[in-house]
Amino acid sequence: WVWWNALQPQWREWDGDRPIQRGAGPWDELRQPGQNGMFIVLISLVWWRDIATAATLVDWEAAVEDVAWAIEQLLQSSPASSGSALSK
């Protein structure tokens, strides 16, 4: 969560150590193409799942849900001229 938090836009709200899925603003901090963009976030989720225990699976599921929400927001806010935020 600490790493994911560091990647988030400044305007995004948090409830303790978890992000809140609401709000609006620019997603430029997450709109990073290439291997250091959302791809590494998705790979990290796969690695996390591989080592998740019953106790940490709830956190992993919450992270997957939040990453999915953030990707939806990225795609919805993507300028029409640049195409998909994930295809760059």
Side-chain angles (χ1 to χ4, degrees):
W1 287 113
V2 172
W3 177 61
W4 182 238
N5 182 10
L7 298 176
Q8 300 305 301
Q10 291 291 326
W11 57 263
R12 190 143 188 226
E13 296 178 40
W14 289 72
D15 180 14
D17 64 347
R18 300 232 181 154
I20 298 172
Q21 294 179 356
R22 68 170 185 244
W27 285 94
D28 296 339
E29 288 91 336
L30 283 180
R31 194 181 316 277
Q32 303 298 324
Q35 65 187 13
N36 294 322
M38 288 303 290
F39 179 72
I40 195 69
V41 173
L42 297 174
I43 292 298
S44 297
L45 287 171
V46 171
W47 289 335
W48 183 3
R49 177 60 181 102
D50 285 346
I51 63 167
T53 65
T56 62
L57 196 56
V58 172
D59 283 331
W60 177 82
E61 290 170 346
V64 168
E65 182 180 320
D66 194 65
V67 169
W69 180 83
I71 289 172
E72 286 179 26
Q73 301 308 303
L74 271 166
L75 292 173
Q76 289 175 8
S77 69
S78 179
S81 61
S82 67
S84 171
L86 299 178
S87 65
K88 290 184 179 180

